[in-house]
Amino acid sequence: MSSSSRKLEVVSPVPADIDIANSVEPLHISEIAKDLNINPLHYDLYGKYKAKVLLSAFDELQGQEDGYYVVVGGITPTPLGEGKSTTTVGLCQALGAYLDKKVVTCLRQPSQGPTFGIKGGAAGGGYSQVIPMDEFNLHLTGDIHAITASNNLLAAAIDTRIFHESSQSDKALFNRLCPPNKEGKRSFSDIMFRRLTKLGISKTTPEELTPEEIKKFARLDIDPASITWRRVMDVNDRFLRKITIGQGPEEKGMTRETGFDISVASEIMAVLALTTSLGDMRERLGKMVIGNSKAGDPITADDLGVGGALTVLMKDAINPTLMQTLEGTPVLVHAGPFANIAHGNSSIVADKIALKLVGPGGFVVTEAGFGSDIGTEKFMNIKCRYSGLTPQCAIVVATVRALKMHGGGPDVVAGRPLDRAYVSENVSLVEAGCVNLAKHISNTKAYGVNVVVAVNMFSTDTEAELNAVRKFSMDAGAFDAVVCSHHAHGGKGAVDLGIAVEKACQNITQPLRFLYPLDISIKDKIEAIAKSYGASGVEYSDQAEKQIEMYTQQGFSNLPICMSKTQYSFSHDASKKGAPSGFVLPIRDVRGSIGAGFIYPLVGTMSTMPGLPTRPCFYEIDIDTETGKVRGLS
C-alpha cells in the first residue's frame, strides 16, 4: 500500500455523500504528489488540497514506459446514472489502497449546471469519492471560468468586427487595424501574418499592400447567418437558449439572433480535452471556425486576431489538477466536455502524464461519459486517434436497475420514487434487459480491447439477479464480470474488479481497431457509427446535406465524427430501450469543431443549454456558517 493511501471506516446505511466527504480529512496535496514522485518544481499549489501539475512533469518522464490504460464506460443509463464515476474511483481505491498498485484516476471536471440542477455533482459517491468534494464540484482551479472568458471574448470579437466593418471603408478599416507608431510607420502584429499567409500574401509591411490586398486582408465580410459561435455560461438557464443581441442604441440597429450554450459545450473545452501541448493548443484555438464569409470561406479565431489572446486566457487551464480519493489515491481532474453534445472524455494531457507517473505495471483509469455507444466510442475514435494511446481494458458498468428498465420496466424519473419493480426481485426482467448490456459488450470488444463488466450493486439487488447479469455478461463475450460494492465499502468493495482488470490488461492480444478510417466521406463515417447503434440507415435533412457539402468543399472531410445524440437509447429516440434495431437515424444538422478536430452531426433535437427542473439541487445546498463546511451537495 502506498504511503498516502488509507483504509476507510465505513458505516451502514451509507451516509449522504457530502457527509462522508466531510468526515475524512484530506491529506496535504504535496503528500499525494510525493507518493507519485512528482518533483515540486513540476506542480503549483492551489491551497492545501489541490495542485496544478505542469506539462514539464511529462517532459521529465518522457523516457519512462507507460502503465496500463483502462477506460470506464457503461450500459445505456437511467436518468439517475449508473455509477460510472463511483466505479472509476472505487476501482482505483482498490488498486491503490488494497492491491498495492501505482494508480491514477483521470476524471472530467464537473459542470456547475448539473451540480445545481438535476443530476448533482460528479465526484463519485458513497465511500468512493474524490475529495474535497465541494471544491471538486464547484470552482476547482478555475478552468471552466477560463473557458467561459475565452469563449465570450471570441464571441465579442465576432460581433464587434461585423459592427466596425459595416461603417468603415476598406482604407479606414485597414488604417485602424495597422495604426502608425510615433514615427508614423505602420506594421503588422504577429498574428496578422497568419491571415496574410492564409490569403497567399507574402508582403511584410502594410505599405506594400495593393488596394485589392488591403480589402482582402482587412474585410472579413462575415455572413451573420453562418455564425455558429455562441456565448456560454456554466449555469443551466433555459431562457438564454435564444436571445437577440445588439438592442442598445449605440449598436445602431445591428441586432442578431443568437443564444447561450453551457460552458462545457464550448469548442474551447473540446480543444482543452484533445490538445497535446501548449503549442498544439495555440494552433487549435487559432483554427476554430466561427462561421463563413459571404463568399463561403471559413473565418477563424486567428482571422479575427484573437487566437493568441485566447491561449493566454487558457495558459493555466492546460495543466491538470491533482486531487485525491477518500482512500488517499491520486486523481487528475482535467477538462469536462459533455458526452451527448461533445466527446465526453477527460484530457489527453492528464492521461499522458498519469501513464508516465504510474509506469510499467501501474494503472491509469479514465472515465468516458454515459453509455459506451457515446463515451467509449468517442474515446476510441476521437481521443485515442489524437493521443496515439491504446487502452488494454474497457469496463462496462451495469446495474440491475437499468437492466430492468431495458427489459420493459416502468419509466425511471429523476426526483420520483422508484417503482416497486426496481426494488423487488424480478430475474426475468433483468434477463430481458441484458440485450442492452450484450450490445455494449460486443460494440466495445470490436475495438480489440478486453471487456470487463462491473455490476454496480445496490442494496435492493438480489443474488439471483446479480448472478443472472454475470452469466449473461460472460455468455456475451466479456473477459470477466464482477459484482462490486464500492459505494458501500470503498476500495474493499472493488478488489475483485481490480484483480479482473489487471488480468484483462495482462492478456491483451490485439491492436486497437477503429470503427472507421478517416479517409472516407463524412457520410460514410456517420453511417458506420449509425450501424454500430443498430440503425438500418441514415436520413439527412436539407440543412445537414448542405453542411456536409460545405465542410467537404472546405477540406474538413478527413476529420473524425462526434455524434450529438441522446444518452438514453442506442437510437435517437430516448423511449426506445434495450437494443433497438432497424431504425433510421435522422441527422438534423451537421456542425464543425474544426479547432478541436471533429465534425459533429446533431441527431434529433439535442439541447446545448440545459434547463432547471421545478426543484433543483440548489434547494439542498447551503453552508454551515460556524465551520464553513458546505452542506447538501450530492
Side-chain angles (χ1 to χ4, degrees), residues 267 274 289 341-343 377-378 382 386 516 518 520-523 525-526 529 540 544 547-564 587 589-602:
E267 182 176 350
L274 290 171
V289 173
I341 53 179
H343 75 285
E377 183 270 308
K378 294 170 183 177
I382 300 175
Y386 284 121
Y516 52 82
L518 290 179
I520 60 175
S521 71
I522 291 173
K523 279 190 173 182
K525 283 180 270 199
I526 290 172
I529 298 170
Y540 301 92
Q547 291 293 99
I548 289 170
E549 185 180 351
M550 181 191 75
Y551 287 128
T552 302
Q553 286 176 350
Q554 290 177 344
F556 301 134
S557 65
N558 62 334
L559 294 175
I561 300 296
C562 181
M563 299 289 253
S564 175
I587 305 297
D589 199 355
V590 176
R591 296 177 189 164
S593 288
I594 305 304
F598 54 75
I599 300 290
Y600 65 102
L602 300 176

Side-chain angles (χ1 to χ4, degrees), residues 380-633:
M380 300 292 185
N381 291 305
I382 300 175
K383 184 176 179 180
C384 288
R385 265 202 167 99
Y386 284 121
S387 71
L389 299 173
T390 299
Q392 289 76 40
C393 174
I395 294 170
V396 175
V397 177
T399 62
V400 166
R401 174 179 69 194
L403 292 172
K404 284 180 174 179
M405 179 191 72
H406 288 296
D411 286 346
V412 175
V413 181
R416 286 192 207 160
L418 283 170
D419 188 272
R420 180 165 169 73
Y422 295 105
V423 293
S424 55
E425 183 172 283
N426 191 329
V427 175
S428 61
L429 199 59
V430 174
E431 289 174 337
C434 279
V435 292
N436 183 268
L437 173 57
K439 180 77 171 163
H440 285 288
I441 292 170
S442 64
N443 277 12
T444 307
K445 273 188 75 176
Y447 295 106
V449 295
N450 284 330
V451 176
V452 173
V453 174
V455 188
N456 185 19
M457 184 174 75
F458 288 56
S459 59
T460 52
D461 299 343
T462 69
E463 191 174 347
E465 290 172 331
L466 295 167
N467 285 339
V469 180
R470 285 198 70 245
K471 181 180 185 307
F472 202 97
S473 300
M474 300 307 290
D475 291 345
F479 181 87
D480 205 347
V482 182
V483 176
C484 313
S485 61
H486 43 275
H487 183 272
H489 301 117
K492 187 177 179 181
V495 167
D496 289 345
L497 178 61
I499 292 167
V501 165
E502 182 176 19
K503 286 179 182 172
C505 289
Q506 291 169 341
N507 286 278
I508 191 69
T509 57
Q510 303 176 67
L512 180 62
R513 294 193 297 266
F514 296 121
L515 188 59
Y516 52 82
L518 290 179
D519 58 1
I520 60 175
S521 71
I522 291 173
K523 279 190 173 182
D524 285 345
K525 283 180 270 199
I526 290 172
E527 282 153 28
I529 298 170
K531 187 178 175 185
S532 78
Y533 297 156
S536 59
V538 179
E539 185 177 76
Y540 301 92
S541 70
D542 290 344
Q543 170 68 6
E545 293 274 12
K546 181 177 134 196
Q547 291 293 99
I548 289 170
E549 185 180 351
M550 181 191 75
Y551 287 128
T552 302
Q553 286 176 350
Q554 290 177 344
F556 301 134
S557 65
N558 62 334
L559 294 175
I561 300 296
C562 181
M563 299 289 253
S564 175
K565 84 167 186 75
T566 178
Q567 67 268 35
Y568 296 125
S569 173
F570 272 108
S571 76
H572 56 286
D573 182 348
S575 69
K576 287 187 182 338
K577 304 303 181 187
S581 62
F583 56 90
V584 175
L585 196 73
I587 305 297
R588 176 171 58 89
D589 199 355
V590 176
R591 296 177 189 164
S593 288
I594 305 304
F598 54 75
I599 300 290
Y600 65 102
L602 300 176
V603 182
T605 52
M606 286 301 304
S607 174
T608 49
M609 171 56 88
L612 290 170
T614 306
R615 194 181 191 283
C617 293
F618 61 61
Y619 271 88
E620 305 299 329
I621 298 170
D622 212 324
I623 196 160
D624 185 321
T625 54
E626 297 293 321
T627 65
K629 286 189 180 285
V630 174
R631 301 195 311 252
L633 266 180

Side-chain angles (χ1 to χ4, degrees), residues 29 44-51 135 140-141 321-323:
I29 201 64
D44 291 336
L45 293 173
Y46 277 63
K48 293 186 287 185
Y49 307 126
K50 304 186 298 288
E135 295 184 31
L140 198 62
T141 46
T321 300
L322 181 66
M323 296 188 75

